[in-house]
Amino acid sequence: MGTVNVADVKDTVTRHLSEAGFAVFTPESDGLPSLVAAHPTHGLIAIDLVDKPGDATVELNRKVSRLRNDVPEVDRVRTRRLLIASDLKTSDGQSFTTADAVAGTFLPDLPARPMEQATIDALAAFFAPRLSIEVPRRTPMTDDAASERAKHRLLLDATQSAIARRDVDDVLVISGPPGSGKTLVLAARAKWLAAQHPDWLIVLLCYNRLLVPYLESLVWGHANISVYTFGRFTARLGVRVSLDNEEWAESNVTRALKDIEPTYDALLIDEWQDFMNPWTRLALATIKPRRGGVTLAGDPIQALYRDGDGQSALAGRKVETAALARPYRSTRQILDVTSALDETMDVRGRTAAFEGEPVDLVWAENTSAIASAVARDVQLLLANNERKPQDIGVLVTRKWDMGTVVAALKNAKVPVKPVYPNKVDEFDLADPCIKVMTVHSAKGYEFEVVFLVGMERLANPDGSERAEREGRAGYVGATRAKDQLVLTYSKENVYLDRIRALPAELVRQWVWPDDYPEVG
């Protein structure tokens, strides 16, 4: 700070704050503010002593972000940021000259921003044993065990094979956690039935239009298997059924059932938890008895469009159940973090999942900054030859964030393709590019690496149906990742508080751009 004695200015400012009742902490680290002061009535103040204001405000914001990262309790407190600059001529309320700082002019008229004593205690506990901190640096993500895990995901295990080949008298309901192979079992069963009975007509239904090409690829080579969304299925039947209003759908189906004749020899439904009850009743009415039966696969916790309880549609049917227990897709670390979102989202069987890398949690100032962080991580991954572009999916919880993410990836010279449900014919999972899509569109898909953008946009759990459904979006998005998961956020909510509280062996926490290597 030029000829000004920094130590004297700091000591004087510290004295002013202490006399005003603040608890004052003076970390000796480039990664934290010069002074941190906490008061039960006036809240938190972060002060940096600099030569010139310039970009000092941005740097102070980064230091506050570091503090928030290291002391989670600070996230709940509004922080007043002040600069003391030796080269400043006049004070302006946020930046102060050294003369005004020494005179204590920054203290009068402080706003009331109450903070809990527990937060002050957390700051004291953090600063007490240390005067400096070691700042970690983000390096390209690596995963040495990825190829070995991939080998185990290729073949059905004994339980999955037995379910695919079993006789079904009427209705079989398959349950299991995400990644346990429900979709693969359905496809294997459809192919097995088709091979055993070439004259049968077999229909495989799903909710998501983007899932149709993937399911078609799984059953390719069997002309007697048709894959449809429910909407396309009803169009083939020549009936109209509401796709967004269950009361109307109930009325539509009640009328349609009078004219429906059994047409198909076997029915299979994937993502059954998202089917309306009248949809299920209509589909069941199209199946000939004593043939291949009906096989329904789903997970109520992954229901994004309704409550996932379709049992009433099966009233009067002979229902058998089969459970898949082991999750093969995601690593234990990913599933442990997913399970921490809410006690209702505990992933069954996660202790049997493959071991992998910790989940990465990245904070950035806003959505634009988050998109830049994602683009930089992708650049590092591809430059390191750790992954191919088609191995990476960027999922957003809100569709309007897609454009920002796509723009950042294009700016980083990364091959990228936005995936929209209304352009399903253009979608090819094997295209050598990063796929950017909503969590809802990604249902049924999986990627080696997933960046999940928009966790902060999920409503805090309050018992409402809307909040519960939004929470499931975090669950579904996270479990699309096979090997590595990167969660991003710019604000706090209950879900992120729970994730941040997890141990370092499960979650590595980062700040953009502070912890990232420079481009070039």
Side-chain angles (χ1 to χ4, degrees), residues 148-173:
E148 186 62 29
R149 286 194 296 272
K151 296 177 184 177
H152 294 280
R153 297 178 179 131
L154 295 176
L155 300 175
L156 298 184
D157 63 23
T159 300
Q160 294 168 329
S161 296
I163 294 174
R165 295 170 177 267
R166 69 184 285 175
D167 291 328
V168 176
D169 186 38
D170 189 8
V171 178
L172 172 65
V173 176

PDB file of all heavy atoms in Angstrom, residues 148-173:
ATOM      1  N   GLU A 148     -12.579 -50.476 -16.135  1.00  0.00           N
ATOM      2  CA  GLU A 148     -12.868 -51.737 -15.453  1.00  0.00           C
ATOM      3  C   GLU A 148     -14.340 -51.810 -15.057  1.00  0.00           C
ATOM      4  O   GLU A 148     -14.985 -52.855 -15.191  1.00  0.00           O
ATOM      5  CB  GLU A 148     -11.979 -51.874 -14.212  1.00  0.00           C
ATOM      6  CG  GLU A 148     -12.090 -53.216 -13.504  1.00  0.00           C
ATOM      7  CD  GLU A 148     -11.660 -54.390 -14.379  1.00  0.00           C
ATOM      8  OE1 GLU A 148     -10.790 -54.195 -15.265  1.00  0.00           O
ATOM      9  OE2 GLU A 148     -12.196 -55.498 -14.184  1.00  0.00           O
ATOM     10  N   ARG A 149     -14.888 -50.684 -14.583  1.00  0.00           N
ATOM     11  CA  ARG A 149     -16.312 -50.671 -14.233  1.00  0.00           C
ATOM     12  C   ARG A 149     -17.173 -50.901 -15.470  1.00  0.00           C
ATOM     13  O   ARG A 149     -18.205 -51.572 -15.397  1.00  0.00           O
ATOM     14  CB  ARG A 149     -16.687 -49.322 -13.588  1.00  0.00           C
ATOM     15  CG  ARG A 149     -16.196 -49.153 -12.168  1.00  0.00           C
ATOM     16  CD  ARG A 149     -16.890 -47.982 -11.491  1.00  0.00           C
ATOM     17  NE  ARG A 149     -16.571 -46.710 -12.129  1.00  0.00           N
ATOM     18  CZ  ARG A 149     -15.537 -45.942 -11.828  1.00  0.00           C
ATOM     19  NH1 ARG A 149     -14.696 -46.339 -10.873  1.00  0.00           N
ATOM     20  NH2 ARG A 149     -15.339 -44.800 -12.440  1.00  0.00           N
ATOM     21  N   ALA A 150     -16.755 -50.341 -16.607  1.00  0.00           N
ATOM     22  CA  ALA A 150     -17.545 -50.458 -17.833  1.00  0.00           C
ATOM     23  C   ALA A 150     -17.726 -51.915 -18.245  1.00  0.00           C
ATOM     24  O   ALA A 150     -18.778 -52.294 -18.769  1.00  0.00           O
ATOM     25  CB  ALA A 150     -16.880 -49.664 -18.961  1.00  0.00           C
ATOM     26  N   LYS A 151     -16.723 -52.746 -18.011  1.00  0.00           N
ATOM     27  CA  LYS A 151     -16.812 -54.157 -18.393  1.00  0.00           C
ATOM     28  C   LYS A 151     -17.958 -54.854 -17.660  1.00  0.00           C
ATOM     29  O   LYS A 151     -18.646 -55.707 -18.216  1.00  0.00           O
ATOM     30  CB  LYS A 151     -15.504 -54.873 -18.070  1.00  0.00           C
ATOM     31  CG  LYS A 151     -14.300 -54.369 -18.855  1.00  0.00           C
ATOM     32  CD  LYS A 151     -13.032 -55.090 -18.413  1.00  0.00           C
ATOM     33  CE  LYS A 151     -11.803 -54.545 -19.117  1.00  0.00           C
ATOM     34  NZ  LYS A 151     -10.557 -55.180 -18.643  1.00  0.00           N
ATOM     35  N   HIS A 152     -18.176 -54.486 -16.411  1.00  0.00           N
ATOM     36  CA  HIS A 152     -19.194 -55.155 -15.593  1.00  0.00           C
ATOM     37  C   HIS A 152     -20.604 -54.688 -15.927  1.00  0.00           C
ATOM     38  O   HIS A 152     -21.579 -55.299 -15.488  1.00  0.00           O
ATOM     39  CB  HIS A 152     -18.909 -54.917 -14.109  1.00  0.00           C
ATOM     40  CG  HIS A 152     -17.644 -55.563 -13.623  1.00  0.00           C
ATOM     41  ND1 HIS A 152     -17.561 -56.899 -13.312  1.00  0.00           N
ATOM     42  CD2 HIS A 152     -16.408 -55.056 -13.421  1.00  0.00           C
ATOM     43  CE1 HIS A 152     -16.334 -57.194 -12.919  1.00  0.00           C
ATOM     44  NE2 HIS A 152     -15.604 -56.086 -12.978  1.00  0.00           N
ATOM     45  N   ARG A 153     -20.734 -53.591 -16.683  1.00  0.00           N
ATOM     46  CA  ARG A 153     -22.061 -53.076 -17.010  1.00  0.00           C
ATOM     47  C   ARG A 153     -22.608 -53.650 -18.307  1.00  0.00           C
ATOM     48  O   ARG A 153     -23.756 -53.377 -18.670  1.00  0.00           O
ATOM     49  CB  ARG A 153     -21.999 -51.549 -17.134  1.00  0.00           C
ATOM     50  CG  ARG A 153     -21.619 -50.817 -15.848  1.00  0.00           C
ATOM     51  CD  ARG A 153     -21.546 -49.329 -16.102  1.00  0.00           C
ATOM     52  NE  ARG A 153     -21.217 -48.565 -14.903  1.00  0.00           N
ATOM     53  CZ  ARG A 153     -20.267 -47.641 -14.845  1.00  0.00           C
ATOM     54  NH1 ARG A 153     -19.558 -47.356 -15.926  1.00  0.00           N
ATOM     55  NH2 ARG A 153     -20.035 -46.986 -13.729  1.00  0.00           N
ATOM     56  N   LEU A 154     -21.810 -54.423 -19.031  1.00  0.00           N
ATOM     57  CA  LEU A 154     -22.194 -54.854 -20.370  1.00  0.00           C
ATOM     58  C   LEU A 154     -23.153 -56.034 -20.387  1.00  0.00           C
ATOM     59  O   LEU A 154     -23.960 -56.163 -21.300  1.00  0.00           O
ATOM     60  CB  LEU A 154     -20.930 -55.206 -21.179  1.00  0.00           C
ATOM     61  CG  LEU A 154     -19.977 -54.035 -21.459  1.00  0.00           C
ATOM     62  CD1 LEU A 154     -18.733 -54.530 -22.177  1.00  0.00           C
ATOM     63  CD2 LEU A 154     -20.679 -52.957 -22.283  1.00  0.00           C
ATOM     64  N   LEU A 155     -23.051 -56.922 -19.412  1.00  0.00           N
ATOM     65  CA  LEU A 155     -23.827 -58.154 -19.423  1.00  0.00           C
ATOM     66  C   LEU A 155     -24.843 -58.172 -18.289  1.00  0.00           C
ATOM     67  O   LEU A 155     -24.609 -57.614 -17.202  1.00  0.00           O
ATOM     68  CB  LEU A 155     -22.891 -59.370 -19.288  1.00  0.00           C
ATOM     69  CG  LEU A 155     -21.838 -59.529 -20.387  1.00  0.00           C
ATOM     70  CD1 LEU A 155     -20.911 -60.686 -20.052  1.00  0.00           C
ATOM     71  CD2 LEU A 155     -22.498 -59.742 -21.743  1.00  0.00           C
ATOM     72  N   LEU A 156     -25.978 -58.830 -18.536  1.00  0.00           N
ATOM     73  CA  LEU A 156     -26.975 -59.013 -17.484  1.00  0.00           C
ATOM     74  C   LEU A 156     -26.464 -60.011 -16.461  1.00  0.00           C
ATOM     75  O   LEU A 156     -25.848 -61.020 -16.810  1.00  0.00           O
ATOM     76  CB  LEU A 156     -28.289 -59.526 -18.072  1.00  0.00           C
ATOM     77  CG  LEU A 156     -29.021 -58.633 -19.077  1.00  0.00           C
ATOM     78  CD1 LEU A 156     -30.337 -59.276 -19.469  1.00  0.00           C
ATOM     79  CD2 LEU A 156     -29.241 -57.240 -18.535  1.00  0.00           C
ATOM     80  N   ASP A 157     -26.736 -59.746 -15.184  1.00  0.00           N
ATOM     81  CA  ASP A 157     -26.364 -60.722 -14.165  1.00  0.00           C
ATOM     82  C   ASP A 157     -27.447 -61.794 -14.091  1.00  0.00           C
ATOM     83  O   ASP A 157     -28.449 -61.763 -14.835  1.00  0.00           O
ATOM     84  CB  ASP A 157     -26.127 -60.046 -12.812  1.00  0.00           C
ATOM     85  CG  ASP A 157     -27.370 -59.369 -12.244  1.00  0.00           C
ATOM     86  OD1 ASP A 157     -28.489 -59.746 -12.628  1.00  0.00           O
ATOM     87  OD2 ASP A 157     -27.217 -58.475 -11.398  1.00  0.00           O
ATOM     88  N   ALA A 158     -27.268 -62.766 -13.199  1.00  0.00           N
ATOM     89  CA  ALA A 158     -28.191 -63.904 -13.136  1.00  0.00           C
ATOM     90  C   ALA A 158     -29.616 -63.467 -12.805  1.00  0.00           C
ATOM     91  O   ALA A 158     -30.586 -63.969 -13.379  1.00  0.00           O
ATOM     92  CB  ALA A 158     -27.680 -64.909 -12.110  1.00  0.00           C
ATOM     93  N   THR A 159     -29.751 -62.527 -11.870  1.00  0.00           N
ATOM     94  CA  THR A 159     -31.077 -62.049 -11.486  1.00  0.00           C
ATOM     95  C   THR A 159     -31.765 -61.347 -12.650  1.00  0.00           C
ATOM     96  O   THR A 159     -32.952 -61.589 -12.940  1.00  0.00           O
ATOM     97  CB  THR A 159     -30.978 -61.087 -10.291  1.00  0.00           C
ATOM     98  OG1 THR A 159     -30.393 -61.773  -9.181  1.00  0.00           O
ATOM     99  CG2 THR A 159     -32.356 -60.569  -9.898  1.00  0.00           C
ATOM    100  N   GLN A 160     -31.037 -60.479 -13.331  1.00  0.00           N
ATOM    101  CA  GLN A 160     -31.607 -59.758 -14.469  1.00  0.00           C
ATOM    102  C   GLN A 160     -32.018 -60.717 -15.585  1.00  0.00           C
ATOM    103  O   GLN A 160     -33.097 -60.578 -16.171  1.00  0.00           O
ATOM    104  CB  GLN A 160     -30.591 -58.733 -14.989  1.00  0.00           C
ATOM    105  CG  GLN A 160     -30.288 -57.609 -14.011  1.00  0.00           C
ATOM    106  CD  GLN A 160     -29.077 -56.798 -14.434  1.00  0.00           C
ATOM    107  OE1 GLN A 160     -28.144 -57.318 -15.051  1.00  0.00           O
ATOM    108  NE2 GLN A 160     -29.063 -55.525 -14.097  1.00  0.00           N
ATOM    109  N   SER A 161     -31.168 -61.688 -15.878  1.00  0.00           N
ATOM    110  CA  SER A 161     -31.474 -62.659 -16.940  1.00  0.00           C
ATOM    111  C   SER A 161     -32.712 -63.478 -16.608  1.00  0.00           C
ATOM    112  O   SER A 161     -33.549 -63.760 -17.476  1.00  0.00           O
ATOM    113  CB  SER A 161     -30.278 -63.586 -17.161  1.00  0.00           C
ATOM    114  OG  SER A 161     -29.160 -62.877 -17.633  1.00  0.00           O
ATOM    115  N   ALA A 162     -32.828 -63.891 -15.338  1.00  0.00           N
ATOM    116  CA  ALA A 162     -33.974 -64.701 -14.928  1.00  0.00           C
ATOM    117  C   ALA A 162     -35.278 -63.921 -15.077  1.00  0.00           C
ATOM    118  O   ALA A 162     -36.298 -64.466 -15.511  1.00  0.00           O
ATOM    119  CB  ALA A 162     -33.786 -65.161 -13.486  1.00  0.00           C
ATOM    120  N   ILE A 163     -35.254 -62.638 -14.741  1.00  0.00           N
ATOM    121  CA  ILE A 163     -36.454 -61.812 -14.880  1.00  0.00           C
ATOM    122  C   ILE A 163     -36.815 -61.642 -16.350  1.00  0.00           C
ATOM    123  O   ILE A 163     -37.988 -61.693 -16.740  1.00  0.00           O
ATOM    124  CB  ILE A 163     -36.246 -60.443 -14.206  1.00  0.00           C
ATOM    125  CG1 ILE A 163     -36.088 -60.622 -12.687  1.00  0.00           C
ATOM    126  CG2 ILE A 163     -37.404 -59.499 -14.507  1.00  0.00           C
ATOM    127  CD1 ILE A 163     -35.725 -59.342 -11.959  1.00  0.00           C
ATOM    128  N   ALA A 164     -35.804 -61.436 -17.193  1.00  0.00           N
ATOM    129  CA  ALA A 164     -36.054 -61.239 -18.625  1.00  0.00           C
ATOM    130  C   ALA A 164     -36.695 -62.458 -19.263  1.00  0.00           C
ATOM    131  O   ALA A 164     -37.472 -62.330 -20.216  1.00  0.00           O
ATOM    132  CB  ALA A 164     -34.748 -60.890 -19.334  1.00  0.00           C
ATOM    133  N   ARG A 165     -36.398 -63.646 -18.750  1.00  0.00           N
ATOM    134  CA  ARG A 165     -36.859 -64.877 -19.387  1.00  0.00           C
ATOM    135  C   ARG A 165     -38.033 -65.551 -18.668  1.00  0.00           C
ATOM    136  O   ARG A 165     -38.478 -66.611 -19.096  1.00  0.00           O
ATOM    137  CB  ARG A 165     -35.690 -65.877 -19.449  1.00  0.00           C
ATOM    138  CG  ARG A 165     -34.548 -65.415 -20.333  1.00  0.00           C
ATOM    139  CD  ARG A 165     -33.331 -66.316 -20.162  1.00  0.00           C
ATOM    140  NE  ARG A 165     -32.242 -65.928 -21.042  1.00  0.00           N
ATOM    141  CZ  ARG A 165     -32.019 -66.436 -22.259  1.00  0.00           C
ATOM    142  NH1 ARG A 165     -32.833 -67.365 -22.718  1.00  0.00           N
ATOM    143  NH2 ARG A 165     -31.019 -66.020 -23.000  1.00  0.00           N
ATOM    144  N   ARG A 166     -38.527 -64.960 -17.611  1.00  0.00           N
ATOM    145  CA  ARG A 166     -39.569 -65.642 -16.844  1.00  0.00           C
ATOM    146  C   ARG A 166     -40.916 -65.578 -17.555  1.00  0.00           C
ATOM    147  O   ARG A 166     -41.186 -64.669 -18.350  1.00  0.00           O
ATOM    148  CB  ARG A 166     -39.680 -65.049 -15.434  1.00  0.00           C
ATOM    149  CG  ARG A 166     -40.237 -63.644 -15.379  1.00  0.00           C
ATOM    150  CD  ARG A 166     -40.227 -63.065 -13.983  1.00  0.00           C
ATOM    151  NE  ARG A 166     -41.278 -63.627 -13.148  1.00  0.00           N
ATOM    152  CZ  ARG A 166     -41.418 -63.358 -11.848  1.00  0.00           C
ATOM    153  NH1 ARG A 166     -40.554 -62.562 -11.246  1.00  0.00           N
ATOM    154  NH2 ARG A 166     -42.407 -63.889 -11.167  1.00  0.00           N
ATOM    155  N   ASP A 167     -41.769 -66.545 -17.248  1.00  0.00           N
ATOM    156  CA  ASP A 167     -43.131 -66.534 -17.761  1.00  0.00           C
ATOM    157  C   ASP A 167     -43.960 -65.547 -16.949  1.00  0.00           C
ATOM    158  O   ASP A 167     -43.855 -65.503 -15.711  1.00  0.00           O
ATOM    159  CB  ASP A 167     -43.755 -67.930 -17.661  1.00  0.00           C
ATOM    160  CG  ASP A 167     -43.108 -68.925 -18.622  1.00  0.00           C
ATOM    161  OD1 ASP A 167     -42.672 -68.486 -19.709  1.00  0.00           O
ATOM    162  OD2 ASP A 167     -43.009 -70.119 -18.273  1.00  0.00           O
ATOM    163  N   VAL A 168     -44.762 -64.770 -17.621  1.00  0.00           N
ATOM    164  CA  VAL A 168     -45.620 -63.792 -16.953  1.00  0.00           C
ATOM    165  C   VAL A 168     -47.064 -64.124 -17.288  1.00  0.00           C
ATOM    166  O   VAL A 168     -47.471 -64.065 -18.453  1.00  0.00           O
ATOM    167  CB  VAL A 168     -45.280 -62.356 -17.405  1.00  0.00           C
ATOM    168  CG1 VAL A 168     -46.251 -61.361 -16.776  1.00  0.00           C
ATOM    169  CG2 VAL A 168     -43.846 -62.008 -17.029  1.00  0.00           C
ATOM    170  N   ASP A 169     -47.802 -64.500 -16.272  1.00  0.00           N
ATOM    171  CA  ASP A 169     -49.186 -64.890 -16.478  1.00  0.00           C
ATOM    172  C   ASP A 169     -50.070 -63.693 -16.810  1.00  0.00           C
ATOM    173  O   ASP A 169     -50.930 -63.763 -17.687  1.00  0.00           O
ATOM    174  CB  ASP A 169     -49.708 -65.601 -15.228  1.00  0.00           C
ATOM    175  CG  ASP A 169     -51.107 -66.159 -15.425  1.00  0.00           C
ATOM    176  OD1 ASP A 169     -51.386 -66.657 -16.534  1.00  0.00           O
ATOM    177  OD2 ASP A 169     -51.927 -66.065 -14.492  1.00  0.00           O
ATOM    178  N   ASP A 170     -49.855 -62.574 -16.120  1.00  0.00           N
ATOM    179  CA  ASP A 170     -50.678 -61.385 -16.352  1.00  0.00           C
ATOM    180  C   ASP A 170     -49.796 -60.123 -16.330  1.00  0.00           C
ATOM    181  O   ASP A 170     -49.427 -59.605 -17.362  1.00  0.00           O
ATOM    182  CB  ASP A 170     -51.780 -61.299 -15.299  1.00  0.00           C
ATOM    183  CG  ASP A 170     -52.797 -60.208 -15.625  1.00  0.00           C
ATOM    184  OD1 ASP A 170     -52.733 -59.639 -16.731  1.00  0.00           O
ATOM    185  OD2 ASP A 170     -53.658 -59.914 -14.767  1.00  0.00           O
ATOM    186  N   VAL A 171     -49.443 -59.650 -15.123  1.00  0.00           N
ATOM    187  CA  VAL A 171     -48.660 -58.413 -14.994  1.00  0.00           C
ATOM    188  C   VAL A 171     -47.451 -58.651 -14.097  1.00  0.00           C
ATOM    189  O   VAL A 171     -47.582 -59.201 -12.995  1.00  0.00           O
ATOM    190  CB  VAL A 171     -49.516 -57.270 -14.400  1.00  0.00           C
ATOM    191  CG1 VAL A 171     -48.667 -56.002 -14.224  1.00  0.00           C
ATOM    192  CG2 VAL A 171     -50.720 -56.973 -15.293  1.00  0.00           C
ATOM    193  N   LEU A 172     -46.291 -58.230 -14.562  1.00  0.00           N
ATOM    194  CA  LEU A 172     -45.063 -58.274 -13.773  1.00  0.00           C
ATOM    195  C   LEU A 172     -44.566 -56.844 -13.581  1.00  0.00           C
ATOM    196  O   LEU A 172     -44.391 -56.103 -14.550  1.00  0.00           O
ATOM    197  CB  LEU A 172     -43.986 -59.091 -14.484  1.00  0.00           C
ATOM    198  CG  LEU A 172     -42.582 -59.056 -13.837  1.00  0.00           C
ATOM    199  CD1 LEU A 172     -42.600 -59.713 -12.462  1.00  0.00           C
ATOM    200  CD2 LEU A 172     -41.564 -59.732 -14.742  1.00  0.00           C
ATOM    201  N   VAL A 173     -44.360 -56.440 -12.326  1.00  0.00           N
ATOM    202  CA  VAL A 173     -43.845 -55.111 -12.006  1.00  0.00           C
ATOM    203  C   VAL A 173     -42.398 -55.251 -11.539  1.00  0.00           C
ATOM    204  O   VAL A 173     -42.119 -55.931 -10.543  1.00  0.00           O
ATOM    205  CB  VAL A 173     -44.684 -54.417 -10.913  1.00  0.00           C
ATOM    206  CG1 VAL A 173     -44.063 -53.075 -10.537  1.00  0.00           C
ATOM    207  CG2 VAL A 173     -46.122 -54.215 -11.387  1.00  0.00           C
TER     208      VAL A 173
END
